[in-house]
Amino acid sequence: MDVLSFLAGGILLALEPINLALIIAGVTIGLFIGAMPGLGSVNGVAILLPITFLVPPNSAIIFLAAIYYGAMYGGAISSVTLGIPGASTAVATTFDGRPLALKGRASLALVTAALASFVGGTVATVLFTLFAPVLASTALSFGPPEIFALMLLAFATFVGLGGDDIPKTIFSICLGLVLAAVGFDTISGEPRMVLFEIDGFMRGIGFIVLAIGVYGIGEMLWTIEQTRGEVTTTNPKMTAKGMMSDAKEAVQRGWKGTWIGSLIGFFVGILPAAGATPGSLMSYGVAKMLSKTPEEYGNGSPDGVAAPEAANNSASTGSMLPMLTLGIPGSPTTAILLGGMVIWGLTPGPRLFLDQTEFVWGLIGSFYISNIAALAINLAFIPLFVWMLRMPFTILAPLIFVLSIIGGFAASRSMHDIWLIVIFGLAAFFLRKFDYPLAPAVLAIVLGPIAEPTLRQSLLLSSGDPMIFFTRPIAGPITIIAIILIFLPAIKLLRRKRRLAKT
């Protein structure tokens, strides 16, 4: 009963006029920040952090958390309408969101994303409210071996994303891992794979550079090549009755992916330094593996939109948990929020729930209100986003190119990254022409920087003995499941070839 009374007090605090106004403003700002390629929640929260010193700490954290929530919702917008993920958390949404838009079903994709995001955020907030101390102690037991086992499981779930051509899929994964290794060695500090000793490669290759190049420039070139310069438009239809019909279809065809994403996203999100991106990628892979119609994935499946969108919203709430209970940020955005809390004179950690009860429960209460506000505002703006798709591709293509260049420059302010975006776009176009899957390469560059240091740290702990991944109580089962899933597509392929040989 104490939890319910604290929660009721927190919700009432979030509904105070100043806090409610900040929630609506934060969610709206976050929605457009998330939709802009190259910005994302990290930049949005960092840019607007100084503004929060004009309001009390309670209101400040509520405002920044609302921006975070809105940005998670907004990432789906550019993924669906332009085929460019607004941030790494929305890359998996592109796989099915963009094909739906090209079929004239952008409204279905955006409604599915909004509803799945709402469910994911709500499920995560309820779990956060009920089990915060227990989950925080569980997350703390995850060391380098457990994190690497989880990353291996994430790789295993998307081995099948490249279809039946296993060699091409493995090549794509290896290509992504190579690109992820460019820059300084995280353990020794030595530079590696710095092409022609160009200084720009010292920083490594950022995910947003690769994503914008592959899904912005590459997709634009592919569409131009397929249409041969003809004036094309997706001609989507948008009515209130149509939105209701889309919502019904989204529930019927996306419920499984929504629940998979909600649960996986939250438990990956609570792990320190994991964040929403691995959670959304794993959820997409697991949803595809458990689907009765996996062939629909990548061609416009509402379930393929629901799983990553539910996951990244669920993980964004989950990443708040280690920040508040342990003082350990669960994602880059929560690291900025942690810095803000310290500046406001608050000390994150186990005693925060006891010493700053009003602050903590006001923040938790704002999660519920922010989630409802984000859903309402997102649905209200869907007609505007769908209207954008009525533009002929002859107008849309230059717009995509300009947004890609601006987004890439805004993220790092480096011309080196602009040239890389163009090169990756051309490379993606030719790889697609030769039927090489692009998704595994993009996902590998996201997970590589997490998997490599945890692998090496684990081997240092065990003096080079790989059995550390099998003997630890949490890492062992995860590693075994991952290995089974990695070899499963190959086993299925061999069985199919045997059947064909017999016939």
Side-chain angles (χ1 to χ4, degrees):
M1 291 302 292
D2 285 343
V3 171
L4 292 177
S5 62
F6 282 136
L7 179 61
I11 290 174
L12 288 174
L13 180 65
L15 288 173
E16 289 181 0
I18 183 174
N19 293 332
L20 185 60
L22 287 171
I23 285 173
I24 294 171
V27 165
T28 307
I29 292 168
L31 188 70
F32 286 96
I33 285 174
M36 280 297 295
L39 281 181
S41 60
V42 180
N43 292 322
V45 171
I47 291 167
L48 294 172
L49 181 62
I51 297 176
T52 62
F53 299 117
L54 302 174
V55 295
N58 281 14
S59 302
I61 190 73
I62 285 172
F63 176 62
L64 294 179
I67 294 172
Y68 191 14
Y69 252 104
M72 290 296 107
Y73 274 76
I77 295 166
S78 57
S79 293
V80 172
T81 57
L82 302 175
I84 311 171
S88 61
T89 54
V91 66
T93 309
T94 311
F95 301 156
D96 285 278
R98 184 58 179 163
L100 277 171
L102 293 173
K103 292 176 182 178
R105 304 299 309 277
S107 174
L108 173 61
L110 291 169
V111 169
T112 302
L115 294 177
S117 297
F118 175 74
V119 173
T122 303
V123 168
T125 305
V126 171
L127 292 173
F128 187 111
T129 305
L130 298 176
F131 306 112
V134 177
L135 291 170
S137 61
T138 303
L140 201 59
S141 65
F142 270 68
E146 286 74 23
I147 297 291
F148 175 75
L150 198 66
M151 292 304 103
L152 189 64
L153 182 62
F155 278 111
T157 58
F158 67 73
V159 160
L161 290 184
D164 293 332
D165 200 332
I166 304 299
K168 286 184 177 179
T169 302
I170 293 172
F171 172 82
S172 187
I173 291 173
C174 291
L175 180 62
L177 290 174
V178 168
L179 293 174
V182 173
F184 285 102
D185 188 313
T186 54
I187 303 258
S188 69
E190 292 290 323
R192 59 187 182 182
M193 288 190 283
V194 177
L195 189 66
F196 302 123
E197 298 186 0
I198 298 172
D199 291 341
F201 287 113
M202 294 288 188
R203 298 192 307 270
I205 296 173
F207 165 77
I208 200 68
V209 172
L210 184 74
I212 290 175
V214 170
Y215 292 106
I217 306 297
E219 186 71 22
M220 180 191 70
L221 293 173
W222 176 257
T223 306
I224 290 172
E225 199 266 347
Q226 291 297 303
T227 58
R228 301 292 181 183
E230 295 176 11
V231 177
T232 58
T233 178
T234 56
N235 195 27
K237 297 177 182 179
M238 187 75 251
T239 61
K241 186 178 179 181
M243 278 188 68
M244 293 298 294
S245 175
D246 287 336
K248 184 178 179 181
E249 186 176 350
V251 172
Q252 291 175 342
R253 298 180 62 190
W255 67 270
K256 184 184 287 185
T258 299
W259 285 104
I260 289 171
S262 299
L263 297 174
I264 291 177
F266 180 73
F267 287 105
V268 173
I270 66 174
L271 301 178
T277 304
S280 65
L281 304 180
M282 286 181 67
S283 299
Y284 183 88
V286 171
K288 182 179 179 181
M289 288 170 56
L290 297 179
S291 174
K292 294 180 180 178
T293 55
E295 66 279 357
E296 291 183 4
Y297 281 68
N299 297 309
S301 168
D303 227 23
V305 175
E309 281 302 302
N312 61 40
N313 280 268
S314 183
S316 66
T317 302
S319 64
M320 295 277 192
L321 194 147
M323 180 194 75
L324 292 174
T325 57
L326 304 172
I328 302 171
S331 69
T333 308
T334 52
I336 297 171
L337 292 176
L338 180 67
M341 289 176 64
V342 172
I343 294 170
W344 298 323
L346 300 164
T347 305
R351 291 200 58 82
L352 188 67
F353 279 74
L354 299 174
D355 299 338
Q356 299 288 341
T357 305
E358 184 179 347
F359 173 85
V360 171
W361 287 102
L363 175 61
I364 294 173
S366 78
F367 291 164
Y368 290 91
I369 306 302
S370 295
N371 215 18
I372 295 169
L375 176 65
I377 292 169
N378 202 349
L379 290 175
F381 277 108
I382 282 177
L384 172 64
F385 303 138
V386 171
W387 173 82
M388 290 169 53
L389 291 172
R390 293 177 181 163
M391 289 187 288
F393 195 74
T394 48
I395 297 174
L396 201 57
L399 182 63
I400 291 172
F401 182 78
V402 170
L403 284 175
S404 297
I405 299 302
I406 292 173
F409 187 77
S412 64
R413 302 195 177 184
S414 168
M415 281 304 298
H416 172 79
D417 287 349
I418 302 302
W419 287 113
L420 284 182
I421 285 172
V422 174
I423 291 168
F424 285 140
L426 291 169
F429 170 72
F430 285 109
L431 283 172
R432 191 164 177 180
K433 281 185 73 70
F434 291 108
D435 292 326
Y436 278 87
L438 299 175
V442 175
L443 306 186
I445 201 172
V446 176
L447 300 183
I450 304 173
E452 185 202 357
T454 51
L455 170 63
R456 294 171 68 182
Q457 287 162 4
S458 302
L459 293 176
L460 286 171
L461 286 171
S462 65
S463 300
D465 185 3
M467 291 305 294
I468 190 172
F469 301 112
F470 297 92
T471 54
R472 288 169 69 109
I474 297 177
I478 297 175
T479 304
I480 291 169
I481 293 169
I483 290 171
I484 292 170
L485 292 177
I486 286 171
F487 287 103
L488 200 59
I491 294 168
K492 287 181 179 179
L493 191 62
L494 287 172
R495 283 182 179 177
R496 195 179 306 162
K497 285 184 177 180
R498 285 181 181 177
R499 286 197 202 115
L500 291 171
K502 288 179 181 179
T503 57

